[in-house]
Amino acid sequence: MVPTTRRPPGGHEAEDIASAKERGWRDLVPIDDAYQVGEITGTEWHAAVLNVIEPAYLNGGNPRAQSGHSGDETRWREARGLLVDLLPPHGGTFLDVGCANGHLMESLTDWAAEAGTVIEPYGVEISAALADLPRTRCPQWAHRIWTANAMGWKPPRRFDAVRTGLDYVPADLCGAYVAHLLNQVVAPSGRLIIGVYNEERDQNTVQDLLRSFGHRPAGFTTADHRHPEIQYKALWLTSS
Ligand SMILES: C[S@@+](CC[C@H](N)C(=O)[O-])C[C@H]1O[C@@H](n2cnc3c(N)ncnc32)[C@H](O)[C@@H]1O
């Protein structure tokens, strides 16, 4: 069985941790299961995941909810601000894979500037309906937003830093997805940032998975989560 970080090990406490790790995991586990036993194809997997998240994001009542985050501004920064630690010190171009409504593009640009780093944000989003949101919300960046499945996407340019989640493809395609982003999307000597993901403080499931594909993280950062056993985590891989 291909490792997936979605499934809780069992019991109520484990479910509590699982739901703290990933909002909506209950809806997504059956989709992973259907894919794993061959009931649905990869294309159907993407469509089923979008069926769950697209209406939820489109109906979100604030910019964070339209990016899949349920907290207020303070929690948003706690949950995403750590990404600043992983940006190249000289800044440069930053591609948010799965940019949703573009709120992370906006926030990270501001937070990086506070830390003295200038980034130029870009986004790619698999959902055409969601990709229209940043084009409207941030018209100055409209030409920098693409609608595409990042798996297999050949961008018109490469980026100094590219951020993604590993759950943007079915689990058995994860290694190929990371290789594709490193080889086709990240600039030479650029950074592939994985995260933010929520993981038990004392576990390294994501790092172990990446090592099993032959990737050793070049840098790592964490921040406290409101659940004491969980941490927000992110890491980066180098393209060379
Ligand atoms: C949780 S939101 C992330 C929003 C924001 N980037 C952040 O990190 O807070 C994940 C987004 O990734 C998009 N997505 C998922 N799989 C994708 C893929 N293979 N290619 C492009 N976008 C994808 C989803 O449609 C969704 O809008």
Side-chain angles (χ1 to χ4, degrees), residues 57 59-67 69-72 101 103 137:
Y57 289 18
N59 292 323
N62 61 67
R64 300 170 300 285
Q66 288 182 340
S67 271
H69 180 81
S70 58
D72 60 13
N101 71 337
H103 193 44
R137 295 180 65 249

Side-chain angles (χ1 to χ4, degrees), residues 46 50 53 57 67-68 76 80 96-100 104 124-127 130 148-151 163 167-169 177 195:
H46 283 291
L50 261 193
I53 66 170
Y57 289 18
S67 271
W76 169 251
R80 296 287 183 279
D96 187 21
V97 175
C99 64
L104 184 68
V124 59
E125 170 55 55
I126 193 170
S127 157
L130 286 173
N149 181 345
M151 178 65 188
R163 186 219 67 85
D167 54 350
Y168 294 0
V169 291
Y177 178 57

